[in-house]
Amino acid sequence: MQRADLVLQAPDAGVPVMLLEIDRRTADAHGLAAKLRRYWEWGRLLPRDADKRTVDLVRSRPDAIEHVDHEKRLWRRVYPPTGREGLVPVAFVFADTTTAKVANTVAVLEEASRRYWAPRRFDTYHRGITAKDYGQAVPVVVTTLEQLQEHGAGAAVWRRLGRDCDQTLTEARGCWRLRRGLPRKRG
């Protein structure tokens, strides 16, 4: 089980729940990816008193948990609904480090943990459908403690993994634009 450094619940600010990991450069990017894997695995657990039919379904094949509604999973007993697709969001806040080290760590984290935060294609028989399924993904945003201290948590200081720009936390939770060689821009 993975324990967050801090659990943020600010529904009035548009954040029903978010798990925060504060990194003072005590873990490398692969260690952070391992933390993200543990959050992803935890989001897929059933509670002990789950009905027998659901338990049997999940045990029947590896991807069966993806067909179990989030309301029936363990994480929903601990935290409120997130108000969006996917599992509980995770924020990595980097402190006491350089911009270059943060950029390198985020690049490695992004690649090493893609399986846990990236959407999947919807299973469809129709060609040309490009919609993505975020239902099994852990939304991940990153920032630095220095940016938070300078601009505040409501400013465009958050970057969602797989995206091309810094945004407010509310925007980052809903930003589905994938990075495609676009220049990095603020807001």
Side-chain angles (χ1 to χ4, degrees):
M1 181 191 228
Q2 180 64 43
R3 294 184 194 270
D5 293 329
L6 181 68
V7 177
L8 173 68
Q9 289 184 289
D12 293 341
V15 184
V17 64
M18 182 174 6
L19 308 176
L20 278 87
E21 286 289 336
I22 313 302
D23 180 41
R24 295 186 175 275
R25 299 304 303 140
T26 56
D28 66 0
H30 293 286
L32 298 178
K35 283 184 177 186
L36 191 56
R37 176 185 49 81
R38 288 190 295 269
Y39 283 125
W40 180 78
E41 289 171 345
W42 182 76
R44 297 168 65 88
L45 292 177
L46 294 173
R48 288 179 189 245
D49 62 348
D51 65 274
K52 183 178 178 353
R53 184 172 173 221
T54 302
V55 172
D56 290 345
L57 170 70
V58 169
R59 289 181 178 163
S60 70
R61 56 182 212 270
D63 68 336
I65 189 67
E66 295 175 11
H67 303 285
V68 174
D69 186 51
H70 286 274
E71 295 298 318
K72 294 181 180 178
R73 297 188 194 181
L74 177 62
W75 77 266
R76 279 294 291 118
R77 294 206 178 162
V78 179
Y79 298 116
T82 62
R84 55 162 309 284
E85 287 183 279
L87 303 171
V88 178
V90 174
F92 286 102
V93 179
F94 299 98
D96 303 329
T97 189
T98 66
T99 304
K101 286 182 181 178
V102 169
N104 184 47
T105 300
V106 169
V108 174
L109 173 64
E110 201 166 34
E111 191 56 39
S113 64
R114 184 172 302 277
R115 173 181 182 191
Y116 311 116
W117 61 260
R120 298 183 181 151
R121 290 192 180 278
F122 277 106
D123 291 330
T124 180
Y125 295 107
H126 303 286
R127 301 187 117 209
I129 293 179
T130 59
K132 303 286 185 171
D133 177 9
Y134 286 83
Q136 305 304 316
V138 176
V140 180
V141 292
V142 297
T143 192
T144 66
L145 185 58
E146 292 74 21
Q147 284 183 308
L148 290 172
Q149 289 172 331
E150 184 177 340
H151 304 287
V157 297
W158 302 93
R159 185 171 81 78
R160 186 167 171 158
L161 293 190
R163 308 304 184 254
D164 68 341
C165 58
D166 289 344
Q167 298 177 301
T168 66
L169 188 53
T170 304
E171 291 169 337
R173 289 180 69 233
C175 173
W176 304 121
R177 185 172 37 146
L178 290 174
R179 186 173 51 230
R180 296 265 190 247
L182 301 172
R184 187 176 168 128
K185 56 188 174 192
R186 293 190 67 79

